[in-house]
Amino acid sequence: MESIGQDHNAGHRSYVAELPPETVGWLYTKPFSDPPSYELARCLHGFAHIVESLSLTAGARVLDVGCGPGWMSEWLVRCGYRVTGVDISEDMIAIARERVRRVGAFENSGPDEISAEFHAMPVRDMDFEEEFDAAILYDAMHHFDDEAATLAVIHRALAPGGRIYIHEGIRPKPGSEGERELVAEMERYGTLEAPFDPEYLLQVVTDAGFTDVTRLVEVDRLLPADRERVGALRVRRQLAEPTTNTLIGSRSLPPGRQAGFGAELELIETRRNDDFLLVRIRAYNSGSQRWTAGASAPVLPPGGADEWSPARPSQIVKGAVTLGPVVVVDGSRVELQRGALPVSVESGESVEASVAVALPEIPVGAELLLDLVCEGVTWFEQTGSSPLRIPLD
């Protein structure tokens, strides 16, 4: 859909002032408290998808693009993320600040505190560079008149390995009731309401330089356990005719930047039970590249052997830095299951991390090494760092 010729930037800035008082009050509690024209269940499902799909570690830095009244920012703060919200509307930003203030998140908080900061500015005026682990655009991108330029700014703001999450409605058919409703909204408030065809959105995100771009379909619903065919038909219909655009993509490491990875590894301790060897290390980031944490395997607890459990494989995020145990037998290398960093690590900083190695996977006479890996990019040993040799006795 196109603009109808209105000054939509002015419309977005004045939007709150045009709302009736009861609706303004709802912005402080959205999506709760009798949300007008908004489905609470849809919001809760959408929030769960973000947390589950991105698998961010505590303290991850998240950019909430077009944050509006800060309802998404509030939820992200409650998860322990460090949130930066950007919106063109000063009124929306004021509401967002009040919402996170109520949950104890303040601007300029320390690194170990929950924190959020907000900026009233056009998104394309952002000057962030390689700062965020993720950028979220939830029901926001249809407000931007130049999606390609907007995505370029967001791409620059993400750290290598950082990901973008877009949730949007699908462009209604020409002449449909849905299209008439959007036009009426633009005429009344002067805002831009221009959702996208799924194929176009996928293309423009890819053209902006994001890699591993995946389109997803939401199929959240309870299905009758005693009527499998009915449940299957409902899911097929939703897959064939989705009502939302959901995309996830990554910012890959730029060419030639592998040399910026470097680490100094120190063994803290090893513990074992009958099945696992738990290796705890301290890793110092001696390179120029930030290490982006991503969920590859659960970080195991540091307690006794009875607390240990197998680290079941989870999502390995391209560009994330993980712990990579390797068994060397007669000169051959066998990679074992990765371990996750608990937080992202800046250049010049250190982190303590753990990985559990299944003892049956280590043959007699083998050597166990531990290195760091930038997933899909390089092992740190290949950039000049020395892996740790882990004693097995």
Side-chain angles (χ1 to χ4, degrees):
M1 292 182 60
E2 304 294 335
S3 165
I4 58 174
Q6 77 278 34
D7 182 351
H8 45 76
N9 283 340
H12 289 298
R13 289 190 177 99
S14 64
Y15 179 77
V16 174
E18 299 296 325
L19 295 174
E22 62 272 16
T23 304
V24 174
W26 171 69
L27 293 177
Y28 286 87
T29 58
K30 175 184 178 179
F32 304 102
S33 304
D34 189 25
S37 304
Y38 221 89
E39 297 178 1
L40 176 60
R42 185 176 80 92
C43 296
L44 296 176
H45 288 156
F47 173 67
H49 293 153
I50 291 170
V51 173
E52 182 179 32
S53 300
L54 295 181
S55 299
L56 298 171
T57 57
R61 298 176 301 182
V62 182
L63 179 64
D64 188 1
V65 182
C67 66
W71 67 279
M72 180 62 66
S73 293
E74 178 187 336
W75 276 347
L76 295 169
V77 162
R78 289 182 183 275
C79 286
Y81 304 142
R82 300 170 63 186
V83 180
T84 297
V86 176
D87 197 279
I88 195 173
S89 167
E90 293 184 2
D91 292 334
M92 288 289 192
I93 290 297
I95 296 172
R97 286 181 173 138
E98 174 61 19
R99 289 188 66 142
V100 299
R101 186 194 67 78
R102 294 175 182 176
V103 297
F106 302 97
E107 298 191 29
N108 302 317
S109 299
D112 297 325
E113 302 175 67
I114 56 174
S115 65
E117 64 179 58
F118 295 95
H119 304 276
M121 66 169 67
V123 170
R124 293 201 298 274
D125 287 356
M126 295 189 306
D127 60 358
F128 304 117
E129 186 168 352
E130 297 191 1
E131 292 196 28
F132 298 99
D133 300 300
I136 298 171
L137 295 87
Y138 195 91
D139 288 349
M141 193 168 166
H142 62 278
H143 293 314
F144 305 135
D145 63 333
D146 189 335
E147 54 272 11
T150 299
L151 288 167
V153 170
I154 295 169
H155 186 273
R156 185 183 67 215
L158 286 171
R163 283 172 295 162
I164 186 171
Y165 187 107
I166 299 175
H167 177 281
E168 274 291 315
I170 290 179
R171 179 175 180 171
K173 295 180 180 179
S176 66
E177 179 63 25
E179 184 181 66
R180 289 191 290 271
E181 289 176 356
L182 292 178
V183 171
E185 181 85 358
M186 289 191 284
E187 290 175 342
R188 180 178 180 182
Y189 295 107
T191 55
L192 181 62
E193 313 290 339
F196 306 92
D197 292 324
E199 294 77 13
Y200 174 77
L201 183 59
L202 181 64
Q203 186 62 53
V204 75
V205 171
T206 302
D207 289 345
F210 291 95
T211 59
D212 302 320
V213 182
T214 304
R215 183 176 173 228
L216 304 167
V217 177
E218 298 175 329
V219 292
D220 301 287
R221 59 174 60 220
L222 292 173
L223 301 174
D226 57 345
R227 290 183 291 166
E228 294 182 9
R229 184 178 179 185
V230 172
L233 287 173
R234 288 179 179 175
V235 171
R236 284 197 204 103
R237 187 178 300 116
Q238 203 153 353
L239 288 170
E241 300 177 1
T243 57
T244 59
N245 272 328
T246 301
L247 293 179
I248 298 178
S250 301
R251 180 183 178 179
S252 295
L253 190 72
R257 295 276 292 277
Q258 287 89 336
F261 285 109
E264 296 175 9
L265 306 181
E266 175 189 353
L267 180 64
I268 298 176
E269 65 172 341
T270 59
R271 299 183 191 177
R272 71 169 63 212
N273 60 14
D274 292 338
D275 299 312
F276 292 96
L277 176 70
L278 181 68
V279 181
R280 290 175 55 77
I281 69 162
R282 181 178 293 106
Y284 171 73
N285 185 347
S286 60
S288 60
Q289 292 292 332
R290 178 174 183 266
W291 301 347
T292 300
S296 64
V299 178
L300 298 184
D306 58 341
E307 297 182 54
W308 303 359
S309 61
R312 295 184 177 180
S314 183
Q315 184 180 22
I316 294 181
V317 179
K318 186 175 181 180
V321 174
T322 60
L323 304 178
V326 175
V327 170
V328 180
V329 186
D330 297 329
S332 299
R333 292 166 53 95
V334 179
E335 298 178 15
L336 305 181
Q337 183 173 310
R338 307 279 207 262
L341 294 180
V343 294
S344 297
V345 185
E346 303 291 345
S347 175
E349 294 183 352
S350 299
V351 66
E352 292 187 9
S354 317
V355 63
V357 178
L359 289 172
E361 297 184 11
I362 306 177
V364 175
E367 183 179 28
L368 177 62
L369 304 179
L370 184 63
D371 196 5
L372 296 184
V373 188
C374 182
E375 296 293 346
V377 179
T378 186
W379 287 73
F380 279 38
E381 185 179 12
Q382 296 172 328
T383 67
S385 298
S386 298
L388 268 179
R389 283 169 170 76
I390 309 300
L392 296 173
D393 298 333

